[in-house]
Amino acid sequence: MTQQRWTTDDLNRIRDADELRLAPRRKDGTRRRAVPIWVVRVGDELYVRSCRGDGGRWYRAARASREGHVSAGGVSKDVALLAADDDVNDAVDAAFREKCGRSTGYVEPMLAPQARTTTLRLVPRSEAGA
């Protein structure tokens, strides 16, 4: 598989969705059960975090495989799950506040230090040559 860029339409549709469904891949390539999580857009990139820090089951699976499948807003893509650079965390915090601020009890855990260390960037993938 090769990395691609998100289209503007994909970015907008995923950003506008309440949740994203993420299914990390197992070692054998099959998908785990998809879980609903929040996703935010910063520039032309998409980011997710584990509100439970590195104790989140989906996060541990995502970090182990570094691959998964996402769906939100009518968009369905295979993705690479890459550790985000620390310098993007403040922008990701702001995006979570803007998107989820109405759910104060839920957004605060997403901004906690343990969650910030789990920030993953979603990078679309496609079959090589496709």
Side-chain angles (χ1 to χ4, degrees):
M1 289 190 167
T2 57
Q3 291 184 1
Q4 295 184 329
R5 292 195 160 279
W6 293 105
T7 67
T8 300
D9 184 54
D10 288 348
L11 288 166
N12 291 336
R13 290 168 66 188
I14 293 171
R15 176 202 61 209
D16 293 343
D18 286 336
E19 295 177 324
L20 171 126
R21 295 191 60 78
L22 170 65
R25 296 241 181 242
R26 292 182 179 94
K27 289 180 182 179
D28 67 5
T30 61
R31 294 182 198 164
R32 294 180 180 274
R33 182 178 58 89
V35 296
I37 58 175
W38 284 345
V39 60
V40 294
R41 178 180 176 181
V42 174
D44 289 337
E45 303 290 348
L46 297 171
Y47 297 92
V48 296
R49 285 183 175 163
S50 170
C51 66
R52 293 188 174 110
D54 59 10
R57 186 180 304 171
W58 75 262
Y59 176 76
R60 289 192 315 267
R63 287 294 294 155
S65 70
R66 297 184 188 166
E67 293 184 1
H69 186 85
V70 298
S71 58
V75 177
S76 183
K77 295 267 187 191
D78 286 326
V79 294
L81 304 163
L82 307 177
D85 295 329
D86 288 339
D87 61 351
V88 76
N89 272 324
D90 290 341
V92 172
D93 285 353
F96 272 114
R97 279 189 196 96
E98 182 177 329
K99 181 173 186 165
C100 310
R102 66 189 181 279
S103 306
T104 306
Y106 296 104
V107 76
E108 291 308 316
M110 298 302 288
L111 309 178
Q114 71 180 21
R116 285 173 58 108
T117 65
T118 67
T119 305
L120 296 176
R121 183 168 56 102
L122 306 179
V123 178
R125 299 182 71 130
S126 69
E127 294 298 325

